[in-house]
């Protein structure tokens, strides 16, 4: 199977709970999709298919962008660790001048392409790890749910801080992850987002949107 065929076989079109304006190819069960992909590709080390779920932080960022389009309208936008492309697509809908979605997972790039087509939108997507280089010169950086573990947080925190210091508006969505550097953040919005007990231990979680100071 090609990456595109694998994405289509493990996901179905549906709308994230708080972003009904968009439809994404999402899995109904993350663990089942992950196990199926590992078996299909004969790769027990394959990382989770983050592209197959509308993570809470990403939903909150996308909702905020659509509720307050001036954040991105007529601006250049980078969606870091894009996953499904949810934040990138919301930025396009909100009138961004240009949007670049990046992820280290080639399957995510296929998912972004499929999701853009499903919504009649265009998004540039690249499979690249930007955290090994200086942040690009963009007006806005969107980062939904990137502080999910210690290793990722150790890499992404200084990178986002460098982006903010270089003049980018850094918008972060987070559902209360332990590794979020709250002292560097200013809260700008919050949303109650439906989820599942299997993923988050609750059925609804308050997710906050921050701008990096």
């Amino acid at each position: 199977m090609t990456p595109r065929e694998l994405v289509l076989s493990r996901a179905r079109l549906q709308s994230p709970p708080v972003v009904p304006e968009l439809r994404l190819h999402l899995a109904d069960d993350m663990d089942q999709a992950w196990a199926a992909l590992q078996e299909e590709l004969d790769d027990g080390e394959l990382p989770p298919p983050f592209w197959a779920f509308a993570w809470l932080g990403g939903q909150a960022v996308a909702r905020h962008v659509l509720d307050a389009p001036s954040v991105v309208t007529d601006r250049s936008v980078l969606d870091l660790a894009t996953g499904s492309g949810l934040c990138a697509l919301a930025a396009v809908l909100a009138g961004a001048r240009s949007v670049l979605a990046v992820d280290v997972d080639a399957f995510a790039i296929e998912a972004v392409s499929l999701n853009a087509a499903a919504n009649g939108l265009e998004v540039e997507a690249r499979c690249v790890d930007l955290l090994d280089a200086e942040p690009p010169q963009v007006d806005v950086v969107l980062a939904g749910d990137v502080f999910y573990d210690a290793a990722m947080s150790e890499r992404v925190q200084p990178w986002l801080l460098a982006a903010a210091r270089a003049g980018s508006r850094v918008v972060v969505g987070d559902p209360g992850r332990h590794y979020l550097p709250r002292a560097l953040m200013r809260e700008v919005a919050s949303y109650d987002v439906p989820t599942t007990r299997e993923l988050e231990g609750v059925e609804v979680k308050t997710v906050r949107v921050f701008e990096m100071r």
Side-chain angles (χ1 to χ4, degrees), residues 6 10 33-51 105-107:
L6 281 172
R10 303 303 174 196
W34 188 11
L37 283 170
Q38 287 180 321
E39 181 177 356
E40 182 76 32
L41 299 174
D42 192 23
D43 183 359
E45 300 300 317
L46 191 74
F50 292 118
W51 52 265
D105 187 348
F107 290 104

